[in-house]
Amino acid sequence: MNSLRRMLLAASAALVMLTTSAVAADANVAGEWDLTVETQAGTGNPHFSLKQDGNKITGTYKGMLGESPVTGTVKGNEIAINFQVNAQGTDLAVSYTGTVDGATMKGTVKLGDLGEGTFSGKKAGG
């Protein structure tokens, strides 16, 4: 009975350690971000102000497409940010997906049906 109790205690401790490690592994993306976006239509320099609650992201986009609230997720070092804008009378769903490495991030951006591009940037002050 003692050995069963020890095994259960060891398994519980291992589960707690794994859960803590998984939570701690999410990148910290809260803050101000300055990005450079490259598309066939040209280059832009959007600014994101992001807040993070666990793996959920909220915030604001400001750039060539105007200003919009954003939502997204961060899982480990993978980030996804989404928002909607009205560009010249057309509703446009914009999505950024990529990776975070400390105070930098990079990846791809999809501009609804208008096309795709790449982005890279860094956390302001980072």
Side-chain angles (χ1 to χ4, degrees):
M1 190 63 121
N2 254 351
S3 61
L4 178 60
R5 185 174 291 154
R6 278 189 222 136
M7 284 189 341
L8 287 173
L9 185 58
S12 296
L15 182 60
V16 168
M17 288 176 61
L18 286 174
T19 303
T20 305
S21 295
V23 171
D26 288 339
N28 178 6
V29 299
E32 306 297 316
W33 290 84
D34 294 311
L35 304 182
T36 298
V37 174
E38 302 280 342
T39 70
Q40 288 181 327
T43 302
N45 297 103
H47 179 84
F48 286 87
S49 180
L50 302 179
K51 295 178 184 176
Q52 184 173 346
D53 182 12
N55 70 343
K56 294 182 181 169
I57 301 169
T58 57
T60 307
Y61 158 88
K62 290 182 185 175
M64 211 179 334
L65 300 174
E67 186 173 332
S68 180
V70 304
T71 59
T73 58
V74 60
K75 293 179 183 172
N77 71 332
E78 295 181 12
I79 188 167
I81 301 172
N82 304 292
F83 60 95
Q84 298 269 337
V85 292
N86 188 293
Q88 301 174 352
T90 302
D91 288 332
L92 190 63
V94 181
S95 62
Y96 285 71
T97 56
T99 56
V100 179
D101 184 9
T104 63
M105 72 168 78
K106 65 181 178 179
T108 59
V109 58
K110 183 165 185 192
L111 305 166
D113 295 333
L114 297 181
E116 296 183 7
T118 59
F119 75 89
S120 62
K122 62 183 181 173
K123 193 181 263 192

